Amino acid sequence: VRGRTVDPAEAEEFLRLFHAENPAEGPVEPRVAAVRDEIARTGTYVHTTAELEFGARVAWRSSARCIGRLYWRSLHLRDRRHVTAPDEVAAECVGHLHEATRRGRIRSTITVFAPDGPSGPGPRIWNEQLVRYAGYRAGGRVLGDPRYVGFTDNARALGWMPPSPMGRFDVLPLVVSGGGEHVAAGPQVHEVPADAVLEVPLSHPDFGWFGDLDLRWHALPVISNMRLDIGGISYPAAPFNGWYMATEIAARNFADADRYDLLPDVAEAMGLDTSSERTLWRDRAAVELTAAVQHSFDEAGVSLADHHGESQRFLRFVEKEEAAGRTCPVDWSWIVPPISGGLTPVFHRYYDEPTDTGPMFRLDEQAKARGRGCPV
Amino acid sequence: VRGRTVDPAEAEEFLRLFHAENPAEGPVEPRVAAVRDEIARTGTYVHTTAELEFGARVAWRSSARCIGRLYWRSLHLRDRRHVTAPDEVAAECVGHLHEATRRGRIRSTITVFAPDGPSGPGPRIWNEQLVRYAGYRAGGRVLGDPRYVGFTDNARALGWMPPSPMGRFDVLPLVVSGGGEHVAAGPQVHEVPADAVLEVPLSHPDFGWFGDLDLRWHALPVISNMRLDIGGISYPAAPFNGWYMATEIAARNFADADRYDLLPDVAEAMGLDTSSERTLWRDRAAVELTAAVQHSFDEAGVSLADHHGESQRFLRFVEKEEAAGRTCPVDWSWIVPPISGGLTPVFHRYYDEPTDTGPMFRLDEQAKARGRGCPV
Ligand code: HEM
Ligand code: HEM
């Protein structure tokens, strides 16, 4: 990345999009000329705040896998492009958690740190999400989230001390590499203060015993290892959040065999016949887990979508995009929810193919490896 | 189609596949030479019975949307290539129903009628499936299966008399156009005798009231409007059946808003709160409908797959195909079941893309239109 100069054609394409969709910003030609000149002199250019905000919103609008795109214009930008030091990045991530959580009235927010540029890389956040739970190998089993066993090991190798005793829901520390002059220092570990992480203890509207399972989940999903690419500029650290859809927690994080794998426990507590898959105990347990997540978030006053409502909103989004004369890239297999797919209207139609141009969130292979604690 | 001659290269490619996978059939060269000669003389060629059987099985093996492919070698062939007259086609379809149903011990079966050829087209079966229920427009609503309102109208225009009184589960007649010299006669309507159609009345293992909904479904799914293409020869009438997977009936035929749309009735009878989608009443009703279908088919001794077991079998099929060095085309969005997708192992992986070469079942636009009663 170091040394790469921005492609002026990519910059121009973005600027033309920005001005076309925002006529109040005035004519595009002067800005194009200025940016071409800036790239010729410095190898890169600096987005105006309005350009950055628009670029981030369009990146969301173009996220083929995201069902929550109807309100893409509401994305709140925290512009932190001057920040490259790892401790400042960590502190700003904590600020993001506070500002976006708002005690439960979640606000879709993105914090953009320094870009990669000719004079050096921007900072990197190694975590997949700002808030996730540790996984500890213990005998043949895993305590906590098996997805993060590698990341947890890595954090410990970098000096992190897990709480004692270790639990199933220990919030992982942030692992951050600085940008610019801080690159050489390597990754640093920063605890996330408890008061920055809103969590919801789970209960079920009808099953009194459900609370005894001692489950909880964090309120805020903040993806933190995808890069934000806008008009030839690449921001490798740009954590963003919306709010959860219940099935993400209930039917994936809690249900997947390589995550918390809770369906057997829930089914047993429900008294279901688990002697064969054919008795549909998995199906029933997953629906009740989803009901519990919805009930608990609602009780706690924390924003949360459900797959039925969100599917309807998504189709409104698709209609609006079509009405605006834009293609609307959709990845069907990510949009259709992991339970009751055929019962939602998103299941029953075809969509435009995902694209790979324009402002875009991208997960590169190195970031992916860092997020899972694999050697990079 | 009339007048089209077979492409010798396509024929040869198929023959090489057949001999490669069936070494006991001897060397391929003499057969290739004979077929090339036959095509040069007649414009087409005649499959041996072994070739036809293999071609049909490979067409099944290659059906990217079919989750039931593990036992593709077991497909039973009924070779009726000499049949072109519409009444004989209809009689052979009835024979297919008897032979494949076996009072519930369903056997995967295909009946192959005369191919399209230089001297004229083969016969056509207009029905999407040999057994489907009529849909009648009544006021602003539909009695029966709304999918077949157009087909039902068309059958009536061709002389079919619905039973009196009309019901929700009236088996549609066969609509058949003859091949060869019978083409000019146009489509004919043939009643399916009641004793050829095994049906299962639905009950639920725990809900006594479920029987009062008066639901039933037919045991045998026989797709009858896809053409079977093998080595350059196209068989436009080649009805085939396996057995049902419960979710096809419960979560699609009974659940889709443009089919029987039964989830609201079931939810109400279950006493669920249907004031909002978020209460998950749809999800719960669909699971119980699925349980009812499984229970009823099991009680009646009729073969039926469930989505959990069939997903596991499907992954064994994929492994076997990979072990045999073959690509295994898969259409993810059709393989993942319409409920509890994420709870089945087929959800959690990528597959080879669908292909369009080799022996294949295909639905052409005209057949699709005929199956829905649209003008052709
Ligand atoms: C406002 C509420 C939001 C909801 C309910 C929502 C919902 C979802 C869901 C259910 C997924 C699939 C996740 C999975 O299966 O792992 C997803 C993916 C995604 N969303 Fe959203 N989203 C929201 C906001 C946002 C925002 C604010 C952004 C960016 C600014 C965003 C960008 C994305 C991206 C890039 C993905 C794909 C992630 C990946 O490839 O792993 N979403 N969203
Ligand atoms: C033996 C039991 C079988 C099971 C459980 C099974 C299951 C399924 C299922 C669940 C579907 C999706 C249907 C839908 O969503 O509309 C499907 C599609 C399909 N199956 Fe099978 N199948 C079986 C046998 C067969 C046989 C014997 C053949 C052909 C010889 C076959 C060929 C196909 C084809 C071509 C499709 C796609 C149909 C279309 O495009 O509409 N299957 N199967």
Side-chain angles (χ1 to χ4, degrees):
Chain A
V1 174
R2 186 188 284 270
R4 198 180 76 99
T5 59
V6 169
D7 175 355
E10 268 185 70
E12 179 169 343
E13 192 188 339
F14 167 66
L15 295 171
R16 292 197 179 278
L17 182 74
F18 174 61
H19 284 262
E21 292 196 31
N22 299 278
E25 296 286 336
V28 68
E29 301 303 340
R31 178 63 179 145
V32 166
V35 164
R36 284 194 171 269
D37 183 62
E38 191 178 345
I39 294 173
R41 279 185 294 109
T42 67
T44 186
Y45 70 110
V46 179
H47 287 131
T48 65
T49 306
E51 287 166 0
L52 182 63
E53 184 183 73
F54 174 75
R57 288 174 178 174
V58 172
W60 181 11
R61 182 177 87 190
S62 310
S63 294
R65 296 173 164 183
C66 180
I67 195 172
R69 289 180 272 166
L70 180 59
Y71 301 122
W72 63 272
R73 284 180 204 276
S74 71
L75 181 64
H76 171 58
L77 170 68
R78 298 174 74 239
D79 181 355
R80 299 297 186 273
R81 283 178 288 173
H82 54 283
V83 175
T84 55
D87 52 339
E88 289 174 40
V89 170
E92 286 295 349
C93 287
V94 173
H96 182 128
L97 293 177
H98 282 294
E99 270 192 45
T101 304
R102 301 198 299 184
R103 298 170 199 270
R105 246 172 23 88
I106 295 175
R107 182 175 192 185
S108 295
T109 301
I110 186 165
T111 301
V112 180
F113 293 102
D116 288 338
S119 58
R124 260 89 176 145
I125 300 164
W126 291 37
N127 309 57
E128 281 189 350
Q129 297 199 11
L130 295 187
V131 182
R132 288 265 117 161
Y133 298 118
Y136 310 102
R137 243 184 235 103
R141 322 177 84 239
V142 170
L143 177 70
D145 193 338
R147 183 178 179 99
Y148 297 111
V149 162
F151 189 89
T152 303
D153 283 347
N154 194 30
R156 292 175 80 165
L158 291 168
W160 180 61
M161 299 278 283
S164 171
M166 295 179 286
R168 277 202 295 177
F169 298 103
D170 297 343
V171 174
L172 282 163
L174 299 172
V175 177
V176 180
S177 330
E181 76 258 42
H182 305 282
V183 172
Q188 291 187 15
V189 179
H190 291 268
E191 243 358 300
V192 180
D195 70 356
V197 181
L198 180 61
E199 293 183 288
V200 179
L202 294 198
S203 62
H204 186 281
D206 306 318
F207 302 155
W209 50 260
F210 198 95
D212 303 337
L213 294 173
D214 251 327
L215 303 177
R216 48 168 62 235
W217 202 254
H218 54 94
L220 207 67
V222 197
I223 295 183
S224 47
N225 67 342
M226 293 182 85
R227 55 173 63 237
L228 170 59
D229 290 333
I230 303 174
I233 308 275
S234 193
Y235 300 95
F240 59 83
N241 74 276
W243 46 85
Y244 267 114
M245 188 161 85
T247 51
E248 294 179 77
I249 303 170
R252 301 298 313 275
N253 302 347
F254 280 159
D256 282 3
D258 56 1
R259 299 293 299 282
Y260 280 83
D261 194 18
L262 287 171
L263 294 182
D265 295 353
V266 172
E268 200 196 333
M270 286 173 69
L272 299 177
D273 171 6
T274 58
S275 63
S276 147
E277 296 286 337
R278 197 172 170 101
T279 65
L280 305 181
W281 61 268
R282 267 185 210 281
D283 311 67
R284 292 193 173 100
V287 172
E288 297 314 328
L289 253 176
T290 307
V293 167
Q294 289 182 181
H295 171 76
S296 311
F297 273 61
D298 288 352
E299 290 280 297
V302 175
S303 312
L304 178 84
D306 66 85
H307 52 296
H308 297 291
E310 208 57 26
S311 292
Q312 281 168 1
R313 259 190 296 283
F314 181 71
L315 290 187
R316 268 170 51 209
F317 165 70
V318 174
E319 271 169 33
K320 280 189 152 188
E321 288 301 291
E322 283 165 0
R326 292 191 285 264
T327 61
C328 182
V330 174
D331 189 334
W332 192 96
S333 68
W334 280 65
I335 295 296
V336 170
I339 61 165
S340 306
L343 313 185
T344 64
V346 293
F347 183 96
H348 300 275
R349 52 164 291 175
Y350 290 94
Y351 303 94
D352 296 332
E353 288 292 311
T355 51
D356 197 37
T357 57
M360 189 81 61
F361 292 108
R362 287 201 175 82
L363 181 63
D364 65 48
E365 286 304 316
Q366 292 216 336
K368 194 172 178 172
R370 281 192 299 262
R372 306 298 284 275
C374 307
V376 277
Chain B
V1 173
R2 185 187 286 267
R4 199 180 76 97
T5 59
V6 170
D7 175 357
E10 268 187 70
E12 178 168 344
E13 192 187 340
F14 167 67
L15 295 170
R16 292 198 179 279
L17 183 74
F18 173 61
H19 284 261
E21 293 196 30
N22 299 277
E25 296 288 335
V28 66
E29 302 304 340
R31 178 65 180 143
V32 167
V35 164
R36 284 193 172 271
D37 183 61
E38 192 177 346
I39 294 172
R41 277 186 295 109
T42 67
T44 186
Y45 70 109
V46 179
H47 287 131
T48 65
T49 306
E51 286 165 1
L52 182 63
E53 182 183 75
F54 174 76
R57 288 174 177 174
V58 172
W60 181 11
R61 181 175 88 189
S62 310
S63 294
R65 296 172 163 184
C66 180
I67 195 172
R69 289 180 272 166
L70 179 60
Y71 301 121
W72 63 272
R73 284 179 204 278
S74 71
L75 181 64
H76 171 58
L77 169 68
R78 298 175 71 239
D79 182 354
R80 298 295 186 274
R81 284 177 287 173
H82 54 283
V83 174
T84 55
D87 52 340
E88 288 173 41
V89 170
E92 285 295 349
C93 288
V94 173
H96 181 128
L97 293 177
H98 282 293
E99 270 191 46
T101 305
R102 301 197 299 186
R103 297 170 199 268
R105 245 172 24 87
I106 295 175
R107 182 174 191 186
S108 295
T109 301
I110 186 166
T111 301
V112 180
F113 293 103
D116 287 338
S119 58
R124 261 89 177 146
I125 300 164
W126 291 38
N127 310 56
E128 281 189 351
Q129 297 200 11
L130 295 188
V131 182
R132 288 264 119 160
Y133 298 118
Y136 310 102
R137 244 184 234 102
R141 323 179 81 237
V142 171
L143 176 71
D145 193 339
R147 183 178 180 99
Y148 296 112
V149 162
F151 189 89
T152 303
D153 282 347
N154 195 30
R156 292 174 80 165
L158 291 168
W160 181 61
M161 299 277 283
S164 170
M166 296 179 286
R168 276 203 294 177
F169 298 103
D170 297 343
V171 173
L172 283 163
L174 298 172
V175 177
V176 180
S177 329
E181 75 259 39
H182 305 281
V183 171
Q188 291 187 13
V189 179
H190 291 267
E191 236 9 290
V192 180
D195 69 355
V197 180
L198 181 61
E199 293 183 287
V200 180
L202 295 197
S203 60
H204 186 282
D206 306 318
F207 301 155
W209 50 262
F210 198 95
D212 302 337
L213 294 174
D214 251 327
L215 303 177
R216 48 167 64 236
W217 202 253
H218 54 94
L220 206 68
V222 198
I223 295 182
S224 47
N225 68 341
M226 294 181 84
R227 54 173 66 237
L228 170 60
D229 290 334
I230 303 174
I233 308 274
S234 195
Y235 300 95
F240 58 84
N241 75 276
W243 45 85
Y244 267 115
M245 189 161 86
T247 52
E248 294 181 78
I249 303 169
R252 301 296 315 275
N253 301 349
F254 280 159
D256 283 3
D258 55 2
R259 301 292 300 282
Y260 281 83
D261 195 18
L262 288 171
L263 295 182
D265 295 352
V266 172
E268 201 196 333
M270 286 173 70
L272 300 177
D273 171 5
T274 58
S275 63
S276 148
E277 295 286 338
R278 196 171 169 101
T279 66
L280 305 181
W281 61 268
R282 266 185 212 282
D283 311 67
R284 291 193 173 98
V287 172
E288 297 314 328
L289 254 177
T290 307
V293 168
Q294 289 181 182
H295 171 76
S296 310
F297 274 61
D298 289 353
E299 290 281 295
V302 174
S303 311
L304 179 84
D306 67 84
H307 52 296
H308 297 291
E310 208 56 26
S311 291
Q312 281 168 359
R313 258 191 298 281
F314 181 71
L315 290 186
R316 269 170 50 210
F317 165 70
V318 174
E319 271 169 32
K320 281 188 153 189
E321 288 300 292
E322 283 166 359
R326 291 192 283 264
T327 61
C328 181
V330 174
D331 188 334
W332 192 96
S333 68
W334 279 66
I335 295 296
V336 170
I339 61 165
S340 305
L343 313 184
T344 63
V346 293
F347 183 97
H348 300 275
R349 52 164 291 176
Y350 291 94
Y351 304 94
D352 295 332
E353 288 291 310
T355 51
D356 197 37
T357 57
M360 189 81 62
F361 293 108
R362 287 199 174 84
L363 182 62
D364 65 50
E365 287 303 317
Q366 293 217 335
K368 195 172 177 172
R370 282 192 298 263
R372 305 298 284 274
C374 308
V376 279

